[in-house]
Structure formats: C-alpha cells, structure tokens
Amino acid sequence: YRGIIQHGLYMTEYLRNITLERNLDQHIHYGRIWKVVPESFPSQRPEKLSDKSNEELVEFIHSENGWFRDMAQWLIVDRNTKEVIPLIKDIIDDISTSFTARIHSLWILHHLGYTSDIYFKALRDPNDNVRAHAIRLIELGAKENTELARKLGQWMHSNWKNQSTIVALQIALSVGALNDKVAQLLVPLMLEEYYHLPVMRDALMSSISDFEPNVLNHLWDQPDWQEKDPNKAIMLEILSASIMKS
C-alpha cells in the first residue's frame, strides 16, 4: 500500500507533503484495500465454510454477514446437497426468520432443481422482497412450463394492485415472459397506475412485445389521459417512438 498510487514521476510537492503529513508512506505491504472499522470493533477470524457439513452450512443462511450467506448458498448448490431441502423449506415456511434467509433459501431450492408450489406459497410472504424474488423464480420456470405461466399470470392479474412498488416492479419485469395475452392485459393497466415512475415505465416497456399500438390506443381512450400531464406526455412519447422504430 502507498499513500498515492500515481507513478513517482507525477508526484507533486503538494501530494508529497500530504503523504508525509498523514504518515501514508509508513503503511506498506498491507494490500490496496483497507477495512475501516471503529476502534472498539472486535476482530473476527473468518470461518472456513468449505470444511462445514451440509447441515452447518444451512445454519449460515441465517447469518447477518452477507458473505457467509452467499458462500453457504454457493457451497450447498455446488455440492448438490438435496438432502438439505427439508431444512431449506423450513426456513421459507418460518416467517420469524430473516427475510434474507428466506430469499437465499428460495434460490437454493431453485438451483437444486426443486419444483413445487412452495414458490407460490412465498407469494403470500409478509416481506415485499421475498414476494418479488418468488415472482422472479416462478417466471424462470414458467418459460418452459405453460401451466406455471398460466398460474403466475392469473396471480398477477388478481394481485398486482394490492402490492408494494417493489413487488409491482418485479411483476412489470416478469409479465413479458408470460404469454402475450396476459401482458397485453396487464401492461396498459399498470401503466395507468405507475406512468409517473420512470423505473416502472422502463420495466413495463421491456415487457411489451410488438403490441405498443394497442397500449397507446388504450391509453388514448382514457378520458384522464387527455389532460395535460408531463409524465403522461413522456409515456405517450415513449410509446410513439417505439412504434416508429419498429
């Protein structure tokens, strides 16, 4: 480590003085990335998760340390340890666990090839982030399974209005992966509700597949879309530009 990373030829007198003033010339051979912690922070020796049993790895899914959770998930999936599936399902079913543990558990089941209604059950989870991840996981399976696509589309149509913006955003991103009939029904309705949010506009536009004219006509037919509104004007302009480019 050095106090300044530029080559010595580019060292100005100002930078040299600052480096010496702060003793940045003394701390060398410690690497280029420093971990900044409070003075009273207790040092922790990292555990070697690769030596842990499968059951022990499941326990690390509950860790407050994101690195441990990520590594535990990676090792469980890499080992293809299907015998831990009942333990993972228990985490998902227990809403007293942290929502991060439930999210990791959903993805573990997905990567272990587990298919079940547990993903649909997760759509009733009290945490918005868990529900959003459940939608994404069902979407992945729905691409190859028309029955899953039908069930997810039905759920979206019945529940999109009752969701938080986080979940609604994932619905907007996922609806395009379902059949066009579902997308053509939901996209205009969601645009009426979320046209004022740029991220939602982009997400819904990404789910439109060659039916931009239908969406534009639907919006034009709504009386409140005849009123002057900068965000509505932007939405109509985006749709018109997309039609012109197609």
Side-chain angles (χ1 to χ4, degrees):
Y1 180 85
R2 293 293 188 276
I4 186 170
I5 60 174
Q6 279 91 339
H7 190 278
L9 290 174
Y10 301 97
M11 174 70 75
T12 65
E13 191 64 24
Y14 169 79
L15 288 176
R16 181 178 183 279
N17 291 337
I18 289 295
T19 300
L20 293 175
E21 179 183 325
R22 299 183 180 181
N23 298 320
L24 296 178
D25 61 319
Q26 298 179 15
H27 307 287
I28 61 175
H29 307 306
Y30 287 99
R32 295 184 64 182
I33 300 176
W34 283 22
K35 181 178 180 181
V36 180
V37 298
E39 292 183 359
S40 59
F41 186 80
S43 60
Q44 294 177 311
R45 191 175 185 82
E47 299 195 51
K48 192 174 182 181
L49 266 61
S50 58
D51 291 338
K52 302 296 182 181
S53 68
N54 295 331
E55 291 73 17
E56 288 174 320
L57 287 176
V58 172
E59 290 302 312
F60 278 96
I61 297 298
H62 297 281
S63 175
E64 294 182 357
N65 187 308
W67 184 90
F68 283 133
R69 294 196 307 271
D70 289 343
M71 186 56 64
Q73 176 180 327
W74 185 87
L75 287 169
I76 291 171
V77 173
D78 186 63
R79 294 177 184 180
N80 197 28
T81 53
K82 290 185 169 64
E83 65 268 21
V84 302
I85 285 179
L87 298 175
I88 297 298
K89 289 172 62 179
D90 287 343
I91 296 175
I92 298 170
D93 289 336
D94 185 2
I95 61 172
S96 68
T97 60
S98 67
F99 78 90
T100 54
R102 301 201 296 280
I103 290 173
H104 280 282
S105 297
L106 286 169
W107 281 97
I108 288 172
L109 289 185
H110 169 73
H111 288 297
L112 291 179
Y114 184 79
T115 56
S116 166
D117 283 343
I118 195 166
Y119 302 118
F120 281 94
K121 185 178 180 180
L123 293 176
R124 300 193 298 270
D125 193 281
N127 184 271
D128 297 338
N129 295 283
V130 174
R131 295 200 303 279
H133 279 266
I135 292 169
R136 173 59 175 153
L137 286 166
I138 298 171
E139 174 208 328
L140 293 174
K143 292 178 179 179
E144 307 294 334
N145 188 317
T146 55
E147 178 60 17
L148 272 183
R150 184 192 67 79
K151 290 176 65 176
L152 180 58
Q154 190 176 50
W155 181 89
M156 286 180 174
H157 182 258
S158 301
N159 295 277
W160 72 271
K161 260 198 171 183
N162 305 320
Q163 305 299 325
S164 68
T165 304
I166 292 173
V167 178
L169 176 60
Q170 187 57 59
I171 291 175
L173 290 167
S174 297
V175 69
L178 308 180
N179 61 65
D180 285 346
K181 184 177 180 180
V182 176
Q184 289 187 45
L185 179 65
L186 275 183
V187 169
L189 296 176
M190 294 189 73
L191 279 176
E192 286 186 62
E193 185 77 17
Y194 296 108
Y195 67 89
H196 59 291
L197 298 177
V199 67
M200 289 295 288
R201 291 198 297 256
D202 290 345
L204 287 164
M205 285 299 299
S206 73
S207 289
I208 295 179
S209 177
D210 299 326
F211 57 88
E212 292 93 339
N214 296 342
V215 176
L216 183 60
N217 289 333
H218 171 88
L219 296 177
W220 268 122
D221 289 340
Q222 308 308 309
D224 57 338
W225 277 74
Q226 306 303 318
E227 303 169 0
K228 289 186 177 181
D229 184 312
N231 286 307
K232 289 178 180 177
I234 291 172
M235 189 66 253
L236 295 173
E237 182 179 347
I238 291 172
L239 282 166
S240 301
S242 180
I243 293 170
M244 294 294 292
K245 291 178 182 177
S246 61

